[in-house]
Amino acid sequence: MKIADIGGEFALIERLCAQAPNAHPDLLAGIGDDAAVIGGIQADGSHLLVTTDMLVENSHFRCDWATPEQIGIKSVVCNVSDIAAMGGTPTFMFVSLALAPETEVQWAESLYRGMGKACRRYGVTLAGGDTTHGAAVTISITLLGRVAPENLCLRSHARPGDFLCVTGPLGSAAAGLAMMTAGLKPPDLLKEKHLTPGCRLDVGPAIAPLAHAMIDISDGLAAEVNHICKQSGTGAAIVAADIPMHPLAFEAARMTGSDPLTFALAGGEDFELLFSIAPQDRQQLERRGIDVVTVGKVTNAAAGILIRLPDGKREKLAGGYNHFS
Ligand code: ADP
Ligand code: MG
């Protein structure tokens, strides 16, 4: 049986995790959120957050498209994004590295220079790691963080009636990737969104005290809405026409013969945040000068997870990036 036969990445994770103890009184949230949440061990009363992400050469990055410095930046950003999605701030980082025997020392040093840039930007301290050799360059980063208990935003906290909001335009990274894959030269903005994205640590902790559920958009809006609904036991109604997208993403769709909506719904690595919030608190965000866009609502589970397309038709909200399908 192959991984695709059982439904892909997430079905596999469920099967694997059943093989080991995965519950503990101090583990407030384990498998199934952007980071694990461990309570009761930090002297200041904050929860410890732990997240990990792995990038593999030719699957997640291409050395002919991205400089080692860009790869270093992105490898840190995707982890910081997961900490921001919990409402937290990052602290210490561990880097496990597999390098091919022919890897140049200068390449590895530039990779770390990129990581260093991102670490300085987001307040992260390198605290350890592991180095070995392998057939493909592999970068696995584990990032710790902290969050005040009252700011913790779990994927399971959405409530029917909440607005679903995003922190910025979606689909730009996917648009950049589509152009590069088609052999076209993307405009700088789209190229940067794909190769050296930022993440929303600037707003995550400020949104957290008011938000219910939060998740970062790494696998496309459709996947992330489904994750929130699954964990919260809710449905959702998304309005396609309300999803913010950059005009250049529409242009990229035209040039590559793609559907722009697919960039936003199924394109990975925007690293914006998706969160649910009570309607009255949504206005609070505005008063505090935090700019977000409402893209839909949380509904009861029985209503399903739906999207209203620009032509008015309602469809099941499927899609999103799954590593094995
Ligand atoms: P994200 O996209 O936010 O990085 P993932 O989709 O990679 O999250 O993972 C979803 C959840 O499954 C996370 O809680 C993660 O810790 C857990 N997980 C993923 N792969 C494994 C694995 N091989 N073993 C144990 N837990 C895993
Ligand atoms: Mg995430």
Side-chain angles (χ1 to χ4, degrees), residues 9-10 13 17 30-34 53 82 155 216 218-219:
E9 180 188 351
F10 298 106
I13 293 170
C17 291
I31 295 144
D33 222 301
D34 292 292
D53 249 304
D82 279 325
R155 293 179 181 181
D216 71 322
S218 54
D219 294 340

Side-chain angles (χ1 to χ4, degrees), residues 13-26:
I13 293 170
E14 261 176 44
R15 274 170 87 121
L16 298 184
C17 291
Q19 307 294 320
N22 59 36
H24 186 281
D26 291 340

Side-chain angles (χ1 to χ4, degrees), residues 277-296:
I277 188 168
Q280 64 273 21
D281 293 331
R282 165 79 175 80
Q283 290 154 17
Q284 286 277 342
L285 284 183
E286 229 139 74
R287 268 179 236 125
R288 294 181 194 182
I290 302 168
D291 213 14
V292 302
V293 179
T294 303
V295 294

